[in-house]
Amino acid sequence: MPLHNINPSTTKAWKKLASHFKEMNSFSLKEAFKENPNRAKYFSIAFNDLLLDFSKNRVTQKTIDLLVELANEVQLNDAIDRYFSGDIINETENRAVLHTALRSNSENELLVNGKNIKPEIRKALRKIRAFSNKVISGDWKGYTGKKITDIVNIGIGGSDLGPDMIVEALQYYKNHLTTHFVSNIDGDHVSEVLKKLNPETTLFVIVSKTFTTQETITNANTIKNWFLTSGSQFDIAKHFVAVSTNSDAIDAFGIDPKNVFPMWNWVGGRFSLWSAVGLSISLSVGFEHYKALLDGAEKMDLHFKESSFNENIPVILALLSIWYNNFYNAESEAILPYTQYLTKLAPYLQQAIMESNGKSVDRNGTPVNYQTGTIVWGSTGTNMQHAFMQLVHQGTKLIPSDFIGYETSLYGLCDHHQKLMANYNAQMDALAFGKSKEDVHLELKTSGEGSAINKLLPYKVFEGNRPSNAILFKKLTPESLGELIAMYEHKIFVQGVVWNIFSYDQFGVELGKELAKKLLNKE
Ligand code: F6P
């Protein structure tokens, strides 16, 4: 069954939210915390090793109730059932959306076109495990009998961003293999990567769901030719493996069918790191850690599926984002992890979120009359405090921000971690509570700058009332990382359901590709 087709702006809840928005004009986070010192406890959800504190948002209980009412009116519950049970919710591509099946440990069967997909998922996982173990242990040898030292993932978009982000994020857990990522069609970058490699000890993983993507195929061919300057055609089997749905194209490329890992059209590229697209993750950190990542994601899936909406982390995050996007006209959201390991989270989420919900036609085929997909961007704390946070604190735009933090560090440099987390908390406090004229006045006076008060005061005031979510995990582990990514995946889903759009196609990327091909043919 397809998803329901309900224009959210025609719902009763939407209208109530619009008038509630007017009431909220005078809402102050500072006052709200004064009135209810337990606000942080009240507006937070604990799940497993994660605590979402959403108290520093411009919301009252009434706001949350109305947002939940909106979710109910667009039949979110029913949509969640269809999502997990493999209904064709990617209608425009006539596909199910089942990345959640890839991490499911349940023995229950799951039918796609009448066929249970669980056995093939398990088979693929066994293949990933066996292959990763062989390469990591050194049993897999290159064409001159040497062990593999380097892995190169060749792919782009969903066939690159997820694995690249996770490999970077799980550096602490990695083994002796060095992993590289080649995505851009920029030949200079390819050359720079090849410069560091020895063909005798390098394994190339070509990841392309379609195996037709210009960047990936061009890069793969260049790399194959580079390899053939030392190895022979016969040696390709030991150095090239592929992850794809397109077996004919893989054959034509010369890859041994034994070295092909499956992909399925019920997994979208940007949600595919849980499939064999994540092979380079498993190679880099070992299958056990890779499986823990999947298990963490499954925990979030179950939380999402089973929790009531006001206790449901992805649902609450999605609804808050809708509140700002559709009522406050906030255009963007910042993703701010306080760990250098998550440097690549923002680019990863940019594809996941913006390719999914950057749509302007609803499920009826008509242009929407409300805003949809948010622009997401971000960087790691504390670096970004010395870069763009000025605008978030004092600029003219409202930028709801997700602060992602960890209670403990991995190496245990406590002094650093204390400072890191003090900054994490301070930024959210500064955004929420600001600094009043009176405080600035007093500060200038007591610091001996009394004569400059008239000149400086307006520049030193922080109006505050700027929203943030504190997303706090105990520790960065493969499991907690899986939870985090699945949390955002479900947030995307909920928003797409409410906005009545198709989140799982990406026709918007096609025109540019077509025109580039035409231009090339003209030359
Ligand atoms: O950018 C469009 C896109 O289709 C993405 O959705 C996808 O992740 C990427 O290209 C790569 O596609 P493929 O895995 O088929 O090479």
Side-chain angles (χ1 to χ4, degrees):
M1 287 282 278
L3 293 174
H4 288 283
N5 187 346
I6 300 165
N7 178 337
S9 69
T10 63
T11 59
K12 284 188 195 130
W14 190 278
K15 285 171 194 131
K16 288 188 210 168
L17 280 162
S19 71
H20 173 62
F21 170 68
K22 288 183 196 139
E23 284 165 23
M24 289 296 282
N25 211 356
S26 56
F27 176 86
S28 145
L29 277 169
K30 207 172 181 172
E31 290 307 313
F33 271 88
K34 240 188 240 161
E35 273 163 33
N36 180 6
N38 284 326
R39 187 176 158 91
K41 268 204 191 126
Y42 188 74
F43 287 115
S44 60
I45 306 172
F47 162 69
N48 206 21
D49 54 350
L50 162 63
L51 179 72
L52 167 68
D53 170 358
F54 60 101
S55 60
K56 293 193 182 76
N57 280 287
R58 294 194 194 174
V59 294
T60 60
Q61 187 54 48
K62 182 173 174 187
T63 325
I64 301 298
D65 292 344
L66 290 176
L67 288 167
V68 167
E69 205 176 306
L70 173 65
N72 285 326
E73 251 186 282
V74 298
Q75 310 212 27
L76 178 60
N77 248 329
D78 182 68
I80 294 174
D81 282 348
R82 292 174 193 209
Y83 173 37
F84 280 90
S85 55
D87 285 12
I88 306 294
I89 63 166
N90 177 2
E91 262 187 80
T92 44
E93 294 182 334
N94 196 25
R95 290 172 183 173
V97 175
L98 278 173
H99 44 277
T100 51
L102 298 166
R103 55 227 191 187
S104 163
N105 284 297
S106 138
E107 296 292 328
N108 296 346
E109 59 173 27
L110 191 48
L111 302 179
V112 172
N113 298 326
K115 192 177 155 212
N116 181 15
I117 57 169
K118 288 286 184 63
E120 13 174 353
I121 296 173
R122 283 195 282 269
K123 191 171 161 204
L125 277 173
R126 285 196 298 272
K127 188 164 176 170
I128 295 171
R129 181 175 56 199
F131 183 73
S132 308
N133 287 346
K134 220 168 167 185
V135 175
I136 296 166
S137 66
D139 285 352
W140 182 283
K141 301 276 192 292
Y143 72 97
T144 55
K146 292 184 181 156
K147 294 176 184 174
I148 298 297
T149 57
D150 291 76
I151 308 293
V152 182
N153 189 93
I154 309 169
I156 195 164
S159 299
D160 163 74
L161 289 162
D164 191 10
M165 179 272 293
I166 302 277
V167 166
E168 174 86 17
L170 296 182
Q171 258 179 79
Y172 179 78
Y173 301 89
K174 79 182 290 304
N175 52 40
H176 60 282
L177 297 170
T178 306
T179 315
H180 313 260
F181 288 84
V182 171
S183 53
N184 200 334
I185 201 157
D186 177 1
D188 288 341
H189 182 241
V190 180
S191 306
E192 287 297 339
V193 173
L194 290 178
K195 216 160 77 180
K196 299 177 205 144
L197 300 172
N198 175 357
E200 293 170 61
T201 58
T202 303
L203 179 80
F204 298 97
V205 183
I206 309 175
V207 188
S208 178
K209 187 172 163 184
T210 55
F211 224 81
T212 56
T213 305
Q214 187 190 52
E215 290 90 337
T216 304
I217 302 310
T218 306
N219 288 339
N221 279 318
T222 300
I223 289 172
K224 182 167 87 171
N225 291 337
W226 169 85
F227 177 82
L228 290 174
T229 57
S230 37
S232 71
Q233 188 73 31
F234 174 75
D235 300 323
I236 285 184
K238 294 193 171 103
H239 292 269
F240 286 82
V241 302
V243 184
S244 185
T245 52
N246 187 347
S247 42
D248 292 345
I250 297 169
D251 270 358
F253 189 88
I255 291 177
D256 184 341
K258 283 204 295 285
N259 299 339
V260 177
F261 293 78
M263 251 298 255
W264 301 281
N265 65 18
W266 39 263
V267 183
R270 52 193 176 274
F271 304 100
S272 63
L273 68 90
W274 321 101
S275 70
V277 168
L279 183 61
S280 46
I281 304 171
S282 178
L283 287 164
S284 170
V285 296
F287 183 80
E288 299 312 315
H289 288 316
Y290 179 64
K291 183 66 173 64
L293 178 85
L294 269 56
D295 290 345
E298 189 198 25
K299 286 202 171 115
M300 182 54 73
D301 295 343
L302 296 174
H303 163 78
F304 174 59
K305 226 163 95 169
E306 291 164 4
S307 309
S308 63
F309 291 161
N310 41 26
E311 290 294 324
N312 193 315
I313 292 174
V315 171
I316 290 294
L317 288 175
L319 294 175
L320 287 170
S321 165
I322 288 169
W323 177 230
Y324 295 118
N325 186 56
N326 295 95
F327 296 92
Y328 286 85
N329 296 326
E331 293 200 327
S332 80
E333 286 173 10
I335 311 278
L336 310 172
Y338 272 63
T339 165
Q340 203 54 26
Y341 288 117
L342 290 183
T343 304
K344 294 182 176 171
L345 182 66
Y348 165 77
L349 287 177
Q350 281 174 330
Q351 187 202 17
I353 295 172
M354 291 160 80
E355 201 167 89
S356 299
N357 286 337
K359 313 284 166 67
S360 52
V361 174
D362 69 12
R363 292 203 284 268
N364 237 343
T366 42
V368 293
N369 58 349
Y370 43 84
Q371 287 288 315
T372 62
T374 47
I375 298 162
V376 289
W377 54 281
S379 176
T380 54
T382 60
N383 293 7
M384 75 342 180
Q385 294 175 198
H386 302 269
F388 55 68
M389 285 306 283
Q390 163 67 42
L391 185 145
V392 184
H393 285 287
Q394 283 191 318
T396 53
K397 296 182 170 57
L398 183 73
I399 303 172
S401 306
D402 283 354
F403 284 76
I404 300 163
Y406 294 88
E407 278 174 27
T408 50
S409 65
L410 296 180
Y411 285 95
L413 291 175
C414 294
D415 171 51
H416 285 258
H417 201 65
Q418 255 172 17
K419 288 174 183 161
L420 184 71
M421 293 312 282
N423 276 282
Y424 169 85
N425 288 311
Q427 287 294 315
M428 286 183 279
D429 284 351
L431 287 168
F433 309 129
K435 198 178 199 179
S436 67
K437 271 186 199 152
E438 293 70 28
D439 287 346
V440 176
H441 194 278
L442 188 68
E443 191 182 271
L444 287 171
K445 221 169 154 185
T446 47
S447 67
E449 287 183 278
S451 58
I453 288 179
N454 286 344
K455 197 175 163 199
L456 290 182
L457 189 131
Y459 304 105
K460 294 204 164 219
V461 169
F462 287 67
E463 65 182 19
N465 227 14
R466 299 186 176 216
S468 63
N469 292 310
I471 298 167
L472 183 66
F473 287 93
K474 290 213 164 18
K475 197 172 161 181
L476 176 51
T477 61
E479 184 177 297
S480 70
L481 186 60
E483 280 173 39
L484 176 74
I485 303 308
M487 177 191 88
Y488 279 112
E489 287 180 345
H490 300 319
K491 176 183 171 186
I492 293 168
F493 169 79
V494 173
Q495 293 191 296
V497 170
V498 174
W499 287 326
N500 201 33
I501 52 176
F502 288 119
S503 300
Y504 298 98
D505 60 23
Q506 54 285 315
F507 298 117
V509 302
E510 294 306 328
L511 181 59
K513 288 187 198 172
E514 274 168 37
L515 295 181
K517 267 190 202 145
K518 276 191 193 149
L519 287 175
L520 277 170
N521 290 340
K522 259 194 207 162
E523 278 166 13

